Amino acid sequence: MADLTLWLEATGALAGAGGLGYAKVRAPRVYWSLVGLPVTWGRFTLSYRSTMDVCGLTVQPSGLRAFMTRNVARREVQPVPPKIRRVRGTSTGLRVTLRLPAGLEPADLIATTERLRHAWGVHSVTVAETKPGYVELRMTGYDVLRRVRMPRKARPRDLVVPVALREDGTAFERDYRKAPMALTLGANHSGKSMYQRNLIKGLAQLPVALVGIDCKRGVEQSAYAPRLSALATTPDDSASLLAVLVAEMGDRFDLLKTHGVSDLWELPAGTRPVPVVVLVDEVAELFLISSRKDEERREQIVTALIRLSQMARAVGIYLEICGQRFGSDLGKGATMLRAQLTGRVVHRVNDKQTAEMGLADIAPDAVPVASLIPMERPGTAVAADSSGGWSKIRTPETSREEVAAVCRAFAHLIPDLPALKPFRPFVPAEVPAAGPSLVKPHPVTD
Ligand SMILES: Nc1ncnc2c1ncn2[C@@H]1O[C@H](COP(=O)(O)OP(=O)(O)OP(=O)(O)O)[C@@H](O)[C@H]1O
Ligand SMILES: [Mg+2]
């Protein structure tokens, strides 16, 4: 009997260990919640003081405190680390809010993240300033970008769309009110269209008009036709479509003038025109020309894009531009347009210059990070904006069919914009899926 119990216990223990090993590789989220989180939390609590001390993140206590320690508590005066205000476990890591003592700044912690990461045995540590005097240490227990799963709470709302996951486990959101115009760069097969696909999936659920410009004959965007208010698939169509958008911008400015306001969002809800997001897949197709006769068209397109990028924010027209490179080699107007695009997302690039085109003017320290994105991780990118902050992100793998289904489900949200009617893409009527016929055949002789 004792043998049997021992055998059962040993088999149980082995199966448990095997299961945990399997979970560690296959279901890191489960492994983290069951094993990683309690172990890391314990390690953090036990070694916090000594780790901060050896990392140079302590300060001498204030005069009064030192006096009380020496004379009342009769202890030796020791340097103090930042006070822990809150520790919170998440499904991807551990978040710790610290109150910084006088003499420490967030940059001091940022400089030691690599040492803290090793001290607590976590995958990554990032530091975010939550309010003056407070920072949040965001630790991740495993590589969250290996298989991306968006946080459950991340849902599209207002004009904010969660499109990717940040390295620290939080959602990267594209906020059109904060960064109205954006540029996405990346080499062939780096994940630009996947980024735009995720964006369309979120935008489709919001009350906005979606305008697609896909000069690769629409191979990417025509699947989303049920939710698009307009789609241009050739440079000629794009020129006409952009001219219509510029005219629409003019009309909207007239409307603002009539109401005596300077921004679309100040208009009363009933009269406010619906926001328009213009998604351009492969901008170079609009800039490059093969013959002299196309020059005029190029000029029209570039002028329209620059005008929209400079003024359209106030009337709720937003640009989302994708391209492989976007520098002066695209010709006149390219760098001027680029300067207007605040949000930047740079995927894997083939050369440092491309990373610099996207990031050098707003977040120069992110340039080497973008240049090091490995080929086997498509969808990984560096996202930055003009505030100087940047983060490493990766989009979730989303199929075109899934996004097309969302577009069909939200087709009723297509707003009524008469100016865009001529550009409305053709949507084939849904054919019922072929299946076995439910009609019983009757013999003709009956
Ligand atoms: N986040 C991701 N996770 C996994 N696979 C991805 C991800 N993003 C992209 N991929 C894969 O990488 C490949 C290229 O993606 P995508 O078509 O988006 O690249 P691209 O930059 O638009 O390329 P191109 O310049 O040729 O249009 C696709 O096969 C896609 O499935
Ligand atoms: Mg593409």
Side-chain angles (χ1 to χ4, degrees):
M1 190 66 198
D3 275 359
L4 183 65
T5 323
L6 189 71
W7 188 81
L8 279 177
E9 274 175 6
T11 330
L14 270 178
L20 283 177
Y22 182 80
K24 191 172 182 181
V25 182
R26 290 274 153 193
R29 223 168 231 261
V30 176
Y31 180 81
W32 169 254
S33 303
L34 291 178
V35 184
L37 181 60
V39 171
T40 306
W41 199 318
R43 192 188 258 182
F44 169 79
T45 314
L46 291 177
S47 69
Y48 176 72
R49 207 191 160 87
S50 56
T51 307
M52 294 312 243
D53 200 17
V54 292
C55 290
L57 294 171
T58 49
V59 293
Q60 284 303 322
S62 65
L64 177 69
R65 196 167 162 176
F67 175 82
M68 297 292 276
T69 313
R70 209 179 300 116
N71 298 307
V72 180
R74 299 210 170 272
R75 275 193 285 115
E76 196 186 330
V77 179
Q78 285 187 341
V80 287
K83 265 216 172 68
I84 299 174
R85 279 296 152 89
R86 191 173 175 213
V87 183
R88 189 161 58 93
T90 67
S91 57
T92 54
L94 191 68
R95 305 264 170 89
V96 182
T97 307
L98 300 177
R99 169 88 178 93
L100 291 182
L104 278 186
E105 59 166 336
D108 298 326
L109 277 103
I110 292 170
T112 56
T113 48
E114 201 54 25
R115 275 175 269 166
L116 296 178
R117 172 173 102 83
H118 288 291
W120 294 321
V122 288
H123 181 76
S124 75
V125 177
T126 40
V127 179
E129 183 182 329
T130 43
K131 55 182 171 175
Y134 289 85
V135 291
E136 190 172 68
L137 289 184
R138 292 179 182 160
M139 303 178 213
T140 52
Y142 57 96
D143 185 2
V144 293
L145 299 187
R146 195 164 71 91
R147 244 185 297 148
V148 175
R149 272 191 50 194
M150 295 297 283
R152 216 169 300 137
K153 279 193 206 141
R155 296 243 167 267
R157 60 191 185 280
D158 302 330
L159 268 183
V160 181
V161 181
V163 267
L165 191 68
R166 282 206 187 92
E167 210 176 5
D168 63 7
T170 57
F172 167 73
E173 296 180 322
R174 176 82 181 87
D175 185 340
Y176 285 91
R177 302 277 302 267
K178 275 196 196 144
M181 317 288 166
L183 172 65
T184 306
L185 291 180
N188 259 323
H189 238 58
S190 59
K192 301 180 297 295
S193 301
M194 183 68 83
Y195 176 87
Q196 230 174 42
R197 192 181 290 174
N198 277 290
L199 204 53
I200 292 174
K201 184 180 167 192
L203 283 169
Q205 305 171 38
L206 302 174
V208 294
L210 296 180
V211 171
I213 296 183
D214 179 5
C215 289
K216 287 181 182 168
R217 298 291 180 273
V219 289
E220 245 332 298
Q221 294 182 349
S222 45
Y224 318 132
R227 180 64 182 83
L228 296 182
S229 296
L231 175 65
T233 54
T234 61
D236 285 325
D237 282 352
S238 310
S240 329
L241 176 56
L242 287 167
V244 167
L245 285 169
V246 171
E248 172 75 18
M249 174 172 77
D251 292 348
R252 291 185 176 200
F253 272 118
D254 287 341
L255 184 73
L256 295 191
K257 194 173 161 212
T258 338
H259 283 82
V261 294
S262 62
D263 191 296
L264 179 103
W265 300 101
E266 292 169 22
L267 286 173
T271 52
R272 190 185 305 147
V274 64
V276 180
V277 180
V278 185
L279 300 134
V280 183
D281 195 337
E282 205 38 81
V283 70
E285 284 298 307
L286 300 179
F287 274 81
L288 300 177
I289 45 173
S290 50
S291 63
R292 196 161 261 275
K293 70 176 179 11
D294 294 337
E295 215 157 274
E296 197 183 327
R297 184 193 66 205
R298 177 194 187 279
E299 194 78 26
Q300 277 172 12
I301 292 179
V302 176
T303 314
L305 280 174
I306 292 178
R307 290 188 67 196
L308 287 172
S309 68
Q310 286 184 344
M311 307 193 294
R313 177 209 60 83
V315 294
I317 301 180
Y318 306 110
L319 293 181
E320 188 70 51
I321 293 181
C322 262
Q324 304 208 1
R325 283 169 69 83
F326 201 175
S328 50
D329 41 4
L330 278 187
K332 211 170 110 214
T335 47
M336 190 169 169
L337 175 58
R338 194 182 65 197
Q340 296 297 326
L341 307 172
T342 318
R344 303 286 174 88
V345 173
V346 178
H347 289 77
R348 178 179 55 77
V349 289
N350 289 332
D351 56 347
K352 196 166 160 240
Q353 282 81 12
T354 312
E356 281 170 350
M357 283 171 198
L359 298 167
D361 43 353
I362 56 170
D365 44 339
V367 172
V369 183
S371 312
L372 290 175
I373 294 171
M375 206 160 186
E376 59 278 9
R377 286 251 173 138
T380 309
V382 172
D385 60 39
S386 52
S387 65
W390 59 271
S391 46
K392 202 165 165 192
I393 61 168
R394 191 175 188 201
T395 45
E397 193 170 6
T398 314
S399 71
R400 193 200 308 261
E401 291 68 35
E402 188 184 335
V403 180
V406 173
C407 288
R408 275 196 298 276
F410 288 90
H412 60 280
L413 286 184
I414 291 193
D416 182 29
L417 281 173
L420 295 180
K421 277 243 164 74
F423 299 95
R424 187 83 195 272
F426 168 70
V427 182
E430 256 184 88
V431 190
S437 171
L438 297 178
V439 181
K440 245 188 180 171
H442 288 284
V444 261
T445 47
D446 273 5

